[in-house]
Amino acid sequence: MNKAIQFQQQVIKPVLAKMQASSVAAEELLLGTAVQESLNFKYRRQMGNGPARGFYQMEPATHDDIWDNYLKYNAQKAELVLAFLSSPTADKISELEHNDEYATAMARVHYMRVREALPKQGDVQAQANYWKQYFNTPLGKGKPAEYVEKWQHYVMTDEA
């Protein structure tokens, strides 16, 4: 089993189940996001000494915005996300980098804030476009074609 599929089975799927947010479409989008952002689980810190952390390369400002402007107003979701912290007093930004379950929960919540429905499962091009629009943002350096290429190379093959 390749690294990407292992991450999907061992981290993404259980996190989504605990969050009561399971769907194959969400699993695929989170997997594609992590593969694209971390170069197939190679980087936990943004290259070039940037601020992004973890396999989803979430920036602290984005993390804090999710807490300040979304989870603060949704106690049930906030409780579900807090359950993934390694301890109640854990530093959340450090957790993004070192706690894959917490980082996955935060990435899922990031996508939950989007009004547009998730792309259908199996539609990698639509997932790539959705990732670009709502996660990487139009101003980000990533390109949907890179997302699709990495999906084909790291998820659809036995590449480690």
Side-chain angles (χ1 to χ4, degrees):
M1 185 181 308
N2 73 33
K3 204 182 304 186
I5 299 305
Q6 279 184 311
F7 190 81
Q8 180 182 16
Q9 296 300 316
Q10 295 172 2
V11 178
I12 296 172
K13 191 181 275 283
V15 166
L16 293 182
K18 288 178 189 173
M19 291 180 72
Q20 302 163 5
S22 296
S23 77
V24 175
E27 284 181 34
E28 289 177 354
L29 182 61
L30 289 171
L31 180 60
T33 300
V35 166
Q36 168 65 20
E37 294 287 343
S38 70
L39 189 56
N40 196 40
F41 309 100
K42 183 175 181 180
Y43 298 106
R44 287 185 179 272
R45 281 190 163 231
Q46 185 174 352
M47 291 173 32
N49 214 20
R53 299 288 182 257
F55 289 144
Y56 298 95
Q57 295 290 293
M58 183 176 284
E59 293 187 4
T62 301
H63 172 275
D64 294 348
D65 182 68
I66 290 168
W67 277 104
D68 294 342
N69 296 304
Y70 186 75
L71 290 173
K72 178 178 175 180
Y73 302 103
N74 192 323
Q76 184 180 7
K77 278 190 181 119
E79 206 172 297
L80 291 170
V81 173
L82 288 171
F84 293 106
L85 291 173
S86 59
S87 77
T89 59
D91 176 81
K92 291 182 179 116
I93 303 307
S94 178
E95 294 281 291
L96 279 179
E97 185 175 353
H98 303 290
N99 179 340
D100 296 335
E101 291 181 338
Y102 179 73
T104 297
M106 288 300 294
R108 181 63 187 106
V109 171
H110 181 77
Y111 282 125
M112 285 177 171
R113 299 193 309 170
V114 175
R115 291 183 190 264
E116 186 178 333
L118 294 179
K120 289 186 171 37
Q121 72 183 56
D123 190 342
V124 178
Q125 184 62 57
Q127 292 166 11
N129 294 338
Y130 195 93
W131 159 81
K132 176 60 182 169
Q133 180 69 34
Y134 300 113
F135 201 93
N136 184 255
T137 77
L139 299 176
K141 291 181 181 177
K143 295 175 178 37
E146 295 169 346
Y147 180 111
V148 172
E149 181 182 313
K150 286 184 179 110
W151 180 274
Q152 292 169 343
H153 185 74
Y154 295 114
V155 178
M156 302 305 293
T157 68
D158 286 331
E159 279 291 318

